[in-house]
């Protein structure tokens, strides 16, 4: 039997995502009501620029007073899609304090203050859902938080930023340089006017923090995530990758240590074999590879950004939260019982692909190999080419602590036979 009193929803933000949320709530109102067990009513939309034309958005719902909207007391669910830290954090906290549950797409806020927000939600008997904060339309948070709740997740490896994947895909398939590929991404609307958050890995790092916390039942903050951008990736790096049967992706990698006593979270460019499922993820698509003890290897793939895909994730959370409201219950909150420490990047065991410009004379290879041996780093393969007194030496290592690999590179730079380190990149996905 359907409840007759509608559930009231306040929307914070009405940009690309917010407008699409409004459209779906309006055009699919009957379906949403049937799925929830009660009608859903959009009670107000808080924006910064009320005079802006928003097609299909009821003007009578527009307000600039977001605080008054979330304080109304009759609001059941607040949907936050404004982004940033403030005023989003204060508005979400105020919503909890006034009896509302929250659906958010705010990855930066959740990565930095997720624990405090979860605690506030729990204290007020409210829900905090955020599927849209991680991978757009791809269902990922709920499978990790609910479907795999009885399993032990050991690794999450993924492409979680569509802009960077588009750029790297263009560099791989067309031979374009970084700047040229970025210009194309900007022209097509995949990259912002200031792409720093994407290309320097900040966006992916926030998502990695959220994923690691859910997967390993521990608290991982944005500051715990090792981050490297992709602006230094060159066409020459792709040429080297192809010689190894690899391509290059900007990856978010969250891992449980082999002894189970710690976790790591990192974002950086890496070479991955063409045989790995992530290697075939093209253009602006996202994909996440999850490894669990009982379930084995799972792949989640789809559009990771954009108004419609993100709105889909927001509406999925909205239905779930509204169902909880109708049933008089709440969904799963934060699970951080393991209290596992986050290890620094230096302790992470990785492989390196190192390209060196060296003098083309006898003994150079032996000298370089001695440096690797001195730092307990084993060499997997070596390739050397050269002429006219100059040579290129490409070394691929076996797995070793990242700190040892970094120390090896620092020592190599000091050799008088090494003219320069052309590139350094980690190798993953094997």
């Amino acid at each position: 039997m359907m409840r007759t009193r509608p559930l009231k929803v306040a929307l914070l933000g009405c940009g690309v995502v917010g407008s699409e949320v409004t459209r779906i709530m309006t055009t699919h109102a009957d379906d949403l009501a049937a799925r929830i067990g009660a009608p859903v009513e959009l009670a107000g939309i808080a924006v910064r620029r009320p005079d802006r034309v928003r097609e299909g958005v009821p003007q009578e719902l527009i307000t600039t007073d977001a605080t008054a909207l979330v304080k109304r007391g009759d609001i059941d669910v607040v949907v936050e899609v404004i982004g940033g830290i403030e005023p989003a954090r204060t508005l979400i906290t105020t919503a909890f304090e006034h009896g509302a549950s929250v659906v958010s797409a705010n990855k930066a806020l959740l990565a930095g203050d997720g624990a405090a927000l979860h605690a506030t939600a729990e204290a007020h008997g409210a829900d905090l859902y955020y599927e849209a904060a991680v991978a757009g339309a791809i269902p990922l948070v709920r499978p990790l938080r609910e479907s795999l709740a009885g399993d032990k997740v050991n690794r999450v490896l993924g492409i979680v930023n569509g802009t960077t994947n588009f750029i790297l895909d263009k560099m791989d398939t067309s031979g374009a340089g970084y700047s040229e590929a970025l210009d194309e991404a900007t022209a097509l609307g995949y990259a912002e006017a200031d792409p720093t958050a994407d290309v320097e890995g900040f966006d992916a790092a926030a998502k990695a923090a959220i994923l690691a916390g859910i997967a390993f039942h521990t608290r991982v903050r944005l500051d715990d995530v090792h981050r490297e951008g992709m602006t230094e990736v060159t066409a020459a790096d792709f040429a080297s990758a192809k010689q190894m049967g690899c391509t290059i992706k900007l990856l978010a990698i969250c891992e449980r240590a082999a002894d189970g006593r710690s976790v790591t979270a990192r974002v950086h460019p890496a070479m991955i074999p063409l045989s790995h499922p992530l290697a075939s993820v093209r253009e602006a698509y996202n994909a996440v590879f999850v490894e669990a003890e009982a379930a084995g290897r799972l792949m989640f793939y789809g559009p990771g950004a954009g108004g419609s895909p993100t709105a889909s994730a927001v509406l999925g959370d909205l239905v779930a939260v509204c169902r909880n409201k109708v049933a008089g219950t709440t969904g799963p909150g934060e699970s951080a019982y393991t209290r596992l420490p986050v290890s620094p990047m230096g302790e992470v065991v990785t492989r390196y692909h190192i390209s060196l410009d060296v003098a083309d004379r006898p003994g150079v290879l032996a000298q370089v190999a001695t440096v690797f041996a001195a730092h307990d780093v084993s060499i997997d393969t070596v390739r050397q080419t050269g002429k006219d007194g100059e040579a290129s030496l490409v070394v691929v290592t076996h797995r070793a602590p990242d700190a040892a690999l970094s120390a090896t590179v620092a020592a190599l730079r000091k050799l008088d036979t090494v003219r320069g380190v052309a590139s350094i990149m980690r190798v993953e996905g094997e």
Side-chain angles (χ1 to χ4, degrees):
M1 182 175 179
M2 183 174 293
R3 181 175 115 171
T4 57
R5 185 181 74 81
L7 292 163
K8 294 190 176 183
V9 178
L11 178 62
L12 306 182
C14 198
V16 174
V17 176
S19 296
E20 188 65 10
V21 169
T22 301
R23 185 192 68 79
I24 295 173
M25 287 187 66
T26 302
T27 58
H28 298 290
D30 291 342
D31 286 335
L32 292 174
R35 294 166 191 172
I36 292 167
V40 181
E41 175 186 310
L42 192 54
I45 304 172
V47 300
R48 286 182 297 177
R49 296 185 291 274
D51 297 331
R52 179 179 172 186
V53 177
R54 298 173 174 87
E55 186 177 349
V57 176
Q59 189 62 32
E60 65 271 16
L61 296 181
I62 297 294
T63 178
T64 58
D65 195 342
T67 300
L69 180 59
V70 300
K71 282 185 173 181
R72 275 178 38 172
D74 64 336
I75 299 297
D76 295 288
V77 184
V78 171
V79 175
E80 183 271 310
V81 289
I82 57 177
I85 305 302
E86 289 292 355
R89 174 169 49 197
T90 299
L91 291 170
I92 289 174
T93 301
T94 302
F96 291 143
E97 293 169 349
H98 286 76
S101 289
V102 172
V103 172
S104 176
N106 196 328
K107 52 189 167 285
L109 179 58
L110 289 160
D113 294 305
L117 293 175
H118 273 293
T120 305
E122 183 178 359
H124 292 88
D127 275 324
L128 173 61
Y129 277 51
Y130 43 89
E131 185 70 70
V134 176
I138 305 172
L140 189 58
V141 171
R142 195 172 289 111
L144 284 174
R145 192 161 67 170
E146 299 179 34
S147 303
L148 294 174
D151 208 338
K152 181 180 180 182
V153 176
N154 291 317
R155 196 173 195 229
V156 180
L157 172 76
I159 299 164
V160 294
N161 184 277
T163 300
T164 55
N165 198 59
F166 180 89
I167 293 170
L168 292 173
D169 181 51
K170 289 302 174 184
M171 293 177 70
D172 184 26
T173 57
S174 71
Y178 167 77
S179 295
E180 184 182 351
L182 174 59
D183 288 343
E184 184 175 353
T186 304
L188 292 172
Y190 292 127
E192 301 286 346
D194 179 2
T196 302
D198 295 322
V199 300
E200 293 294 351
F202 290 100
D203 175 85
K207 295 172 180 178
I210 296 170
L211 288 173
I214 298 170
F216 307 133
H217 302 278
T218 194
R219 288 179 178 170
V220 180
R221 290 173 51 87
L222 180 58
D223 293 344
D224 296 321
V225 181
H226 174 83
R227 177 194 56 79
E228 297 173 25
M230 47 157 280
T231 57
E232 300 301 318
V233 177
T234 66
D237 291 326
F238 275 100
S240 293
K242 287 181 179 179
Q243 289 180 336
M244 290 178 58
C246 292
T247 188
I248 298 171
K249 299 292 186 181
L250 184 75
L251 298 178
I253 305 169
C254 311
E255 294 178 304
R256 190 189 300 267
D259 61 9
R261 296 179 181 177
S262 64
V263 298
T264 59
R266 51 197 165 104
V267 169
H268 54 72
M271 293 183 180
I272 59 172
L274 294 175
S275 58
H276 193 281
L278 292 178
S280 60
V281 178
R282 303 288 306 279
E283 298 198 335
Y285 278 77
N286 284 190
V288 178
F289 204 68
V290 177
E291 298 178 14
E293 283 195 356
R297 295 182 173 184
L298 308 172
M299 178 88 160
F300 300 84
Y301 171 84
S308 294
T310 305
S312 172
V314 169
L315 266 295
D317 278 349
L318 179 63
V319 169
V321 170
C322 287
R323 283 173 175 169
N324 292 341
K325 285 281 186 179
V326 170
T329 186
T330 56
E334 182 190 32
S335 175
Y337 73 92
T338 63
R339 296 183 176 86
L340 295 173
V342 182
S343 298
M345 185 64 192
E347 296 179 12
V348 176
V349 177
T350 64
R351 297 180 67 201
Y352 267 26
H353 174 282
I354 305 169
S355 180
L356 305 171
D357 294 325
V358 299
D360 187 16
R361 62 174 189 251
V364 172
L365 181 56
Q367 191 179 32
V368 168
T370 298
V371 171
F372 278 91
H375 291 86
D376 294 322
V377 177
S378 177
I379 294 175
D380 182 15
T381 62
V382 178
R383 185 175 70 254
Q384 183 175 7
T385 59
K387 62 179 181 178
D388 300 327
E390 299 295 331
S392 175
L393 191 64
V394 176
V395 179
V396 179
T397 72
H398 285 291
R399 291 169 62 83
D402 201 80
L405 290 161
S406 296
T408 301
V409 173
L412 289 170
R413 294 182 189 275
K414 296 178 181 179
L415 295 178
D416 59 2
T417 53
V418 175
R419 310 297 193 213
V421 179
S423 70
I424 307 167
M425 192 164 296
R426 295 179 183 86
V427 182
E428 299 285 347
E430 297 177 300

